[in-house]
Amino acid sequence: MITFIVALEGITQVISYQPLKTRSREEIKLQGFKILTKLKLTQSVPAAGVMFVKKQNGIISIDPVVWVRDIQTLFYETACASGTTAVALAEAVKTKNKFESVFSILQPSGKLLNVLIKIKKDTPDYAEIGGPVKILLRRKFYE
């Protein structure tokens, strides 16, 4: 199993290329929690995620599971910017690109997020993410 651990500010992401045996979101959450527990990330960091990565027909897609320690809650996300960035960083390391790359990563919502990774001295040095954001709840905003 190929796994990367990417520590970002505020969250540590585990990138797993192990194929999922289920499409059930609850079972994916449990599989992610087992990985986080085994790596002792459920208590050692404020937030941790597992990005289950699948590559098919040239498309990278993720199933993101995120644990938030202080509220003891596990989420299956419809999109995950930090996880997407971590996956792109792992992909940049795997492909050994020397300068910069753009990775488009399909979210469970069906939308693509694009990540630009710049490499300096064989190490990822910069990441920038962009893509559409859909507002799910329309509410009034107050000052």
Side-chain angles (χ1 to χ4, degrees), residues 13-16 49-53 62-66 80 83-84 87:
Q13 296 286 3
V14 178
I15 312 306
S16 174
V50 178
M51 298 301 112
F52 293 102
V53 180
I62 61 170
D63 282 288
V65 174
V66 174
C80 186
T84 298
V87 169

Side-chain angles (χ1 to χ4, degrees), residues 6-135:
V6 181
L8 300 170
E9 188 173 333
I11 191 165
T12 298
Q13 296 286 3
V14 178
I15 312 306
S16 174
Y17 291 90
Q18 180 178 344
L20 288 169
K21 296 177 183 168
T22 181
R23 291 305 315 147
S24 161
R25 289 183 176 189
E26 286 305 311
E27 289 179 29
I28 293 169
K29 283 170 57 176
L30 289 174
Q31 192 173 342
F33 191 73
K34 285 179 186 176
I35 291 169
L36 294 173
T37 301
K38 183 178 179 181
L39 294 171
K40 299 184 181 354
L41 293 172
T42 58
Q43 297 302 316
S44 62
V45 294
V50 178
M51 298 301 112
F52 293 102
V53 180
K54 180 173 79 174
K55 289 184 179 182
Q56 190 172 5
N57 301 325
I59 297 172
I60 301 169
S61 62
I62 61 170
D63 282 288
V65 174
V66 174
W67 169 255
V68 181
R69 180 189 64 202
D70 291 350
I71 60 171
Q72 300 283 295
T73 305
L74 187 67
F75 298 95
Y76 179 93
E77 303 281 3
T78 58
C80 186
S82 64
T84 298
T85 302
V87 169
L89 288 164
E91 288 292 315
V93 168
K94 282 176 49 181
T95 59
K96 299 180 180 174
N97 190 317
K98 300 291 182 194
F99 303 105
E100 67 181 47
S101 299
V102 175
F103 298 93
S104 295
I105 300 174
L106 185 63
Q107 306 298 302
S109 66
K111 303 290 185 194
L112 286 171
L113 288 179
N114 302 306
V115 185
L116 168 67
I117 303 292
K118 293 185 180 181
I119 309 292
K120 210 182 258 188
K121 297 181 182 175
D122 296 328
T123 304
D125 183 60
Y126 175 85
E128 181 179 305
I129 190 166
V133 174
K134 183 177 181 182
I135 299 171

